Amino acid sequence: MTDNINFAIERNPNPADAAKIAEAHANPGFGNYFTDHMVIIDWTREAGWHDARIVPYGPISLNPANAVLHYGQEVFEGIKAYRHADGTTHIFRPDENAARLQCSSKRLALPALPTELFVESLRQLVALDEAWVPPHGEDKSLYLRPFIIANEDFLGVRAAQRATYMVIACPAGGYFSDPTQPVNIWLEAELARAGRGGTGAAKCGGNYAASLLPQETAYANGCEQVLFLDSCEGKYIEELGGMNIVFAYRDGTIVTPESDSILASITNKSLLQLAADAGMRVERRKVTIDEWREGAATGDIVEAFAVGTAAVVAPIGLLKSQDFTIENPPVTEDSVAMRLRAQLTGIQNGDVVDTHGWMVATK
Ligand SMILES: *Cc1c(COP(=O)(O)O)cnc(C)c1O
């Protein structure tokens, strides 16, 4: 039942006042303040998607036997809304996130939410909570978190017959405190976040759960993020816990690792498109950790950066591991990472012409 695209709206009787929103905008962090409303759409095997509604933001009640609590049948998305200079608000490539959510759902045996329902849910929420989209020109945005959970009170192990889609939203600043400051990465040599035939290419909570212990090791070694290698041979570079990795070569080539267990980042896809537009050679292929070590040593690889919606582009300073360290040259304004970052955030914030039609107005 996807023809019912009418969202019933129950307004929050106690919305945040301007002072509260200003406080959230002044120092948003990531996931600290949530807007006044949230989207809910239910799904059952018999009725399909139904009962689309926007209600006041708040706790939901789940039976302790709910399948999602036991078997982790859940998928999610991350996407941002931006304030342009003329005051209008826009979301970045929501059709891409809709398609990815459908792929993730398929792998987790959850129902596929139609693209138009997904995009409309984001537009409706941003339109209603518009005051929460941070001002233009501050490198801030409204982060949207759509997700689907199995929502059936049943302990039998099978795909749930009931599911719920929700969207919550929070103002967000930079994921790392200073976007020009390189981050240090820890190379995880033993544990994997995903493997062949597993759920690595799906955006699901379980992949994140699997990355948390290695992430703790990264922190203990003075690093902000962890880099995973392929789980079969332990020699090909996969990605970070929640970000893809991209390399810039001295000859102007841009390379990102290719694997069935990498989550296809929309930020990565967009940056590679911008690089190709600028005449750079772009490659998606297997990259070994040895290629990076040797390339860094000879000066053939001049940059490495982490990419994703939350951080956009984060240059990597050091790659540390048990046995060796790779040090990248200092980041300058002229670095490929910084130039691509400036171009992408320029498009997102409406300051650079959007030749690909990536931005979707929310009204
Ligand atoms: C979400 C995510 C990314 C980044 O994808 P974007 O579409 O750029 O936000 C990268 N890796 C993993 C594991 C992710 O979950």
Side-chain angles (χ1 to χ4, degrees):
M1 275 204 356
T2 58
D3 49 354
N4 173 21
I5 210 164
N6 283 329
F7 284 74
I9 294 177
E10 182 196 333
R11 280 182 182 271
N12 190 324
N14 300 302
D17 60 15
K20 176 85 201 288
I21 295 177
E23 180 194 322
H25 286 169
N27 197 1
F30 189 78
N32 296 332
Y33 299 90
F34 290 91
T35 66
D36 295 316
H37 299 92
M38 60 186 186
V39 171
I40 306 180
I41 310 178
D42 293 316
W43 178 89
T44 60
R45 200 166 280 284
E46 313 80 62
W49 292 105
H50 63 277
D51 208 4
R53 56 205 188 273
I54 298 185
V55 299
Y57 180 89
I60 53 173
S61 140
L62 292 182
N63 186 306
N66 194 298
V68 70
L69 300 175
H70 301 274
Y71 308 126
Q73 200 191 357
E74 182 262 1
V75 294
F76 68 97
E77 271 304 324
I79 179 169
K80 285 172 169 176
Y82 306 83
R83 172 98 49 200
H84 288 188
D86 65 0
T88 56
T89 52
H90 303 254
I91 38 187
F92 181 68
R93 309 190 78 174
D95 48 328
E96 291 281 336
N97 295 80
R100 189 170 66 187
L101 186 64
Q102 289 156 9
C103 291
S104 302
S105 293
K106 183 162 188 226
R107 181 62 184 84
L108 274 286
L110 282 163
L113 184 76
T115 299
E116 55 184 20
L117 203 46
F118 176 87
V119 175
E120 188 60 18
S121 73
L122 304 184
R123 295 182 70 207
Q124 294 261 350
L125 184 63
V126 174
L128 194 59
D129 283 337
E130 218 235 273
W132 285 90
V133 183
H136 178 77
E138 296 183 0
D139 214 9
K140 292 171 186 162
S141 54
L142 186 70
Y143 182 84
L144 302 162
R145 167 53 61 83
F147 59 102
I148 302 175
I149 57 168
N151 195 354
E152 186 180 8
D153 305 330
F154 178 63
L155 287 188
V157 181
R158 59 148 168 78
Q161 316 255 348
R162 308 176 75 88
T164 298
Y165 166 76
M166 298 183 67
V167 190
I168 55 176
C170 57
Y175 191 74
F176 300 111
S177 38
D178 177 356
T180 60
Q181 197 58 40
V183 294
N184 295 336
I185 306 287
W186 176 253
L187 180 67
E188 173 58 53
E190 290 298 321
L191 305 178
R193 67 174 277 282
R196 193 164 75 193
T199 57
K203 206 167 175 75
C204 65
N207 292 342
Y208 279 70
S211 75
L212 296 178
L213 180 60
Q215 179 70 48
E216 292 291 310
T217 313
Y219 289 144
N221 285 281
C223 295
E224 284 99 330
Q225 286 284 319
V226 54
L227 177 68
F228 292 98
L229 299 175
D230 77 282
S231 63
C232 293
E233 297 177 67
K235 81 183 203 202
Y236 297 103
I237 295 171
E238 293 251 306
E239 63 169 325
L240 311 181
M243 283 178 267
N244 283 183
I245 190 167
V246 178
F247 299 95
Y249 287 64
R250 184 169 50 187
D251 69 0
T253 307
I254 302 287
V255 179
T256 196
E258 185 168 56
S259 144
D260 290 345
S261 43
I262 291 178
L263 191 280
S265 155
I266 296 160
T267 312
N268 194 357
K269 182 177 180 179
S270 308
L271 291 164
L272 263 47
Q273 178 71 57
L274 295 176
D277 292 352
M280 298 173 106
R281 196 167 79 195
V282 167
E283 294 176 359
R284 290 178 178 278
R285 60 168 172 83
K286 290 193 177 303
V287 181
T288 62
I289 188 68
D290 286 344
E291 176 177 349
W292 188 6
R293 275 185 86 174
E294 284 154 24
T298 58
D300 284 340
I301 297 180
V302 286
E303 293 179 42
F305 42 98
V307 305
T309 297
V312 194
V313 175
I316 295 170
L318 301 176
L319 176 84
K320 293 200 214 172
S321 79
Q322 215 73 262
D323 313 315
F324 62 90
T325 297
I326 295 174
E327 190 169 353
N328 287 306
V331 180
T332 68
E333 247 174 53
D334 213 35
S335 298
V336 174
M338 289 296 109
R339 282 189 283 130
L340 289 176
R341 180 191 165 89
Q343 207 185 345
L344 183 60
T345 56
I347 293 169
Q348 292 169 331
N349 292 302
D351 300 326
V352 168
V353 184
D354 174 21
T355 54
H356 294 285
W358 286 341
M359 305 310 294
V360 173
T362 56
K363 270 190 186 152

